Structure formats: structure tokens, C-alpha cells
Amino acid sequence: MADTHMELEIDNLRAGYGHLDILHGVNLKIRHGEFVTLLGPNGAGKSTLLKSLFGMTTHKGGAIRWKGKDIAGLRPQAMLGHGIAYVPQGRCNFQLMTIDENLEMAAYTIRDGDLKGEREYVYDLFPILRKRRNELAGNMSGGEQQLLEMAMAVLRRPEILLVDEPSVGLSPQAITLVFNELKRLHKGGRTVLLVEQNTRKAMEAAERAVVLRLGKVIWDSPVGELSSADLGELFMTGRRASDAQPA
Ligand SMILES: Nc1ncnc2c1ncn2[C@@H]1O[C@H](COP(=O)(O)OP(=O)(O)O)[C@@H](O)[C@H]1O
Ligand SMILES: [Mg+2]
């Protein structure tokens, strides 16, 4: 049954690549406006889950309900139409184009879009980008390019942002910059689902932590209920030491 309080309801989702099964029955519910971080060891299926929510994997079973409607198996373009935006891992902007031109490319898919208006909307959210609008993306720092990636996703005014490992390869200052922007986007009313290796930063920014291991959710709680020691245990063994049965 659909829970109408939930914006996103993932119910026993099974997905993978072709014949390969990666997600083995994922359950996760996210409310409108929540900031959830999805953590887990390498290869757990975190990126696969984000990709599945954006229609980029092979759907094998279960439901993805967005505002009560099952969207599992839809194509990325349709997901965009539903207000879902995906910021993939790594930087995929057009290095030889300016910031302005990159945003123009991002706006290209909006039917009847008002390019100038969309761009100004994004520049209001990311003033750093406005200042550098005529510079080549490839000449910006890693952190600024990551902001550009988020800006390109935000341009369509999505309701949820799926962000995969935005801190990879960034300096500590750049990581702070990117996380501050994520927090600001969240305060502005967006739902955020963030995959991060930098668990400390992710737990500072998010309200809820979900741990994925071997293609299943093994933990889901407010961030305050999970210590870094617990997290290490969960990653390694799939359970917390404090949860162990007394001998
Ligand atoms: N395009 C793909 N084709 C086949 N297998 C993939 C593909 N992408 C990822 N995988 C596999 O899926 C599993 C989960 O990967 P991934 O979702 O990237 O994990 P995480 O993001 O948690 O590190 C890994 O075993 C990985 O090798
Ligand atoms: Mg990944």
C-alpha cells in the first residue's frame, strides 16, 4: 500500500545490470524535504540504487513509488519530468565550454524553457558561478566544477536531488563549499539523497543515515543514533557490536 506521507517509497526493489542482480530487495522511504545520506562499503550498490531511481538500471522487481505513483523502470527523461534529478559521480560538464554554455546545454531539454530565466535562477542559488560565468568549466577548481554539476541538475527545479559522491577528489575547502551548498539546497526545500564516502561530512549534513550492504538496507536511523564506531562495524560485519547477542 502506498503511504501518502512519503514522497519516495522504495519497496522490495530488485535491480541490476542485464543479468547481474545487484539490489536484492531494497526498502526505503523518504519524506518530502528530508536529507538522507546513503552510506556503505565499496560495491554495496549505492550508486546502483541512485541509478535505479533515475531509470538507468535493469528493473527486476519491486516498486519505486514517487508521490504514490509507481515509476520503476521509467527512462531518465521521464524521471526528470517527475522532478527527480541525478548528479552522477565524477565531473561530466563540458570542459571546453563556459559556465554559461554548460547551463545552456542543461536547459536545452526543457521544453518552452526560458533560458535566461532558468540561468538567473541558478545563478541566484550559486553566486560563485555567476561571477565566473564566462570562464571555461575546465579551468575551474574541482569544487567549483562539482557546484556546476549540481547547478546543471537544479536548473530544472527538481524536487529531489540524487547526488553521488560529490566530495571525491576535492580539497577539504572544496568539500566544505560543496556541502554548504547541499545544505542550502536542502534548506530551500529540496529533498536530498546523498551517497558519500566522507561519512563524517555526510552525517553532519544529513538528518538520516541509511546503510546499504550487499544490495540491502541494513540500517536506517536518525544520524544521531549512529556513532562512527557503529558505522565501521556495520560496514565490516553488517551489524553493530552493541547489537550482538549476549553469550
Ligand atoms: N554498469 C555496470 N555493469 C555491471 N556491473 C556493474 C555496473 N556498475 C556497477 N556494477 C557492479 O555493481 C556492484 C555495485 O556497484 P555500485 O553500485 O557502484 O556500488 P557502490 O556505489 O556502493 O560502491 C559492484 O559489484 C559493481 O561491480
Ligand atoms: Mg558508487
Side-chain angles (χ1 to χ4, degrees):
M1 269 297 284
D3 180 341
T4 49
H5 296 294
M6 295 298 163
E7 184 168 69
L8 181 65
E9 257 188 299
I10 304 166
D11 189 5
N12 198 24
L13 177 67
R14 290 181 294 112
Y17 305 94
H19 293 296
L20 207 57
D21 293 349
I22 305 293
L23 303 180
H24 306 285
V26 168
N27 293 302
L28 178 62
K29 294 179 180 184
I30 299 180
R31 280 174 199 283
H32 174 72
E34 256 192 310
F35 190 149
V36 178
T37 184
L38 180 65
L39 309 171
N42 255 332
K46 305 179 297 292
S47 296
T48 303
L49 179 54
L50 291 196
K51 286 185 207 166
S52 299
L53 298 177
F54 200 62
M56 294 170 65
T57 60
T58 311
H59 179 67
K60 308 200 167 205
I64 302 173
R65 278 188 289 272
W66 173 250
K67 298 177 178 172
K69 186 173 186 283
D70 193 357
I71 58 165
L74 295 185
R75 310 286 302 161
Q77 189 67 25
M79 298 297 189
L80 280 172
H82 280 291
I84 299 171
Y86 168 61
V87 185
Q89 192 176 341
R91 291 182 268 285
C92 333
N93 54 62
F94 302 96
Q95 300 272 302
L96 300 178
M97 291 186 184
T98 64
I99 308 282
D100 248 7
E101 289 162 347
N102 268 278
L103 291 173
E104 192 172 330
M105 293 303 285
Y108 193 66
T109 53
I110 306 178
R111 206 181 309 152
D112 306 325
D114 155 26
L115 171 61
K116 268 199 182 134
E118 304 304 333
R119 215 157 38 191
E120 287 311 307
Y121 166 73
V122 164
Y123 284 144
D124 285 345
L125 285 173
F126 300 93
I128 295 177
L129 296 182
R130 177 183 274 125
K131 265 195 252 164
R132 310 196 53 186
R133 63 192 295 167
N134 293 316
E135 289 187 38
L136 296 182
N139 284 344
M140 297 201 308
S141 72
E144 289 159 348
Q145 288 189 45
Q146 190 61 51
L147 292 189
L148 175 59
E149 296 300 334
M150 297 195 316
M152 288 167 79
V154 162
L155 187 119
R156 299 187 56 129
R157 304 176 196 222
E159 290 169 71
I160 188 169
L161 275 175
L162 313 171
V163 189
D164 201 353
E165 307 264 17
S167 77
V168 167
L170 298 188
S171 68
Q173 293 90 330
I175 291 176
T176 300
L177 181 72
V178 167
F179 270 84
N180 284 344
E181 293 306 319
L182 272 174
K183 283 188 262 188
R184 247 166 27 93
L185 290 170
H186 170 239
K187 283 213 180 86
R190 281 170 203 81
T191 313
V192 179
L193 179 57
L194 168 72
V195 169
E196 246 313 321
Q197 295 261 309
N198 190 330
T199 54
R200 191 175 55 80
K201 279 281 182 192
M203 303 255 281
E204 276 169 18
E207 300 158 313
R208 216 173 111 203
V210 171
V211 178
L212 198 70
R213 190 170 186 275
L214 302 174
K216 283 191 163 181
V217 171
I218 58 160
W219 183 267
D220 186 342
S221 79
V223 287
E225 290 174 24
L226 190 59
S227 70
S228 53
D230 286 339
L231 198 58
E233 277 291 306
L234 282 171
F235 277 29
M236 293 281 286
T237 66
R239 49 194 279 185
R240 291 189 311 177
S242 50
D243 291 337
Q245 296 294 318

